[in-house]
Amino acid sequence: MKNFKTEKDKLLFELDSEIKRNPDNEILKSLNRNLNSYQSVSDLNGVLSRTVFDSLDFEFKIGGKLIEFENYFSDFSNSIRSTELRGLAKKLIKQNTPVMFYGKAWSENTADWIYFDKVFDLKKIRNKFAFGKNIIEHQNLDNRLGLESGFIDKTTNEGIMGKVK
């Protein structure tokens, strides 16, 4: 699994090298500023790919690498460390289930959660994916704090959540 920060740092290093070879290329400088501003995968918004397609084209090898980076990390499931939850997230994304939120669900949470716009049948999903004991069911039925139902990996603290009926 690729790490966002590590891959971002590699690309920034390559962009810096390309800028040194092409100091007058404002597009490369703009790509560098945009990439440098991203702190997490939830910041990705298609700007890198659009800039490469619209302005940079594939004149530089770095253009393809930027598109590959953005495509990989725009799929939130690629950032989930929990193998079991990543499988569920990939299946939901493949089914075009809309993602409502990705990130830290509240300030004390230590890991990212993905919220899907779907009601989960927890028992059916648990059986289908044969989750281990580290995957626990989670439900929050308090209207004030947000209704949610899904799974948390006790090892990574990551969660995959859906809506409550």
Side-chain angles (χ1 to χ4, degrees), residues 9 32 35 54 68 77 83 109 152 162 164:
D9 289 345
N32 186 292
L35 180 58
D54 295 347
E68 183 180 310
S77 67
T83 306
N109 193 11
I152 299 172
V164 174

Side-chain angles (χ1 to χ4, degrees), residues 21-87:
R21 287 190 294 274
N22 300 279
D24 296 331
N25 190 312
E26 294 301 318
I27 302 301
L28 291 172
K29 293 176 186 176
S30 175
L31 286 164
N32 186 292
R33 284 190 300 273
N34 278 303
L35 180 58
N36 205 25
S37 72
Y38 298 150
Q39 299 304 310
S40 74
V41 296
S42 56
D43 293 335
L44 294 172
N45 54 13
V47 167
L48 298 174
S49 296
R50 283 193 302 277
T51 302
V52 170
F53 282 126
D54 295 347
S55 304
L56 188 63
D57 203 20
F58 288 97
E59 180 182 342
F60 300 97
K61 219 163 70 169
I62 191 73
K65 290 180 179 182
L66 287 164
I67 291 170
E68 183 180 310
F69 170 84
E70 192 164 59
N71 286 339
Y72 180 84
F73 287 106
S74 291
D75 178 345
F76 296 133
S77 67
N78 288 327
S79 297
I80 298 293
R81 295 175 319 227
S82 168
T83 306
E84 292 170 291
L85 292 184
R86 188 177 334 116

Side-chain angles (χ1 to χ4, degrees), residues 118-132:
K118 181 176 183 144
V119 175
F120 292 159
D121 181 334
L122 299 181
K123 287 183 183 13
K124 184 177 177 183
I125 291 172
R126 177 173 286 287
N127 290 334
K128 183 173 184 171
F129 284 86
F131 288 148

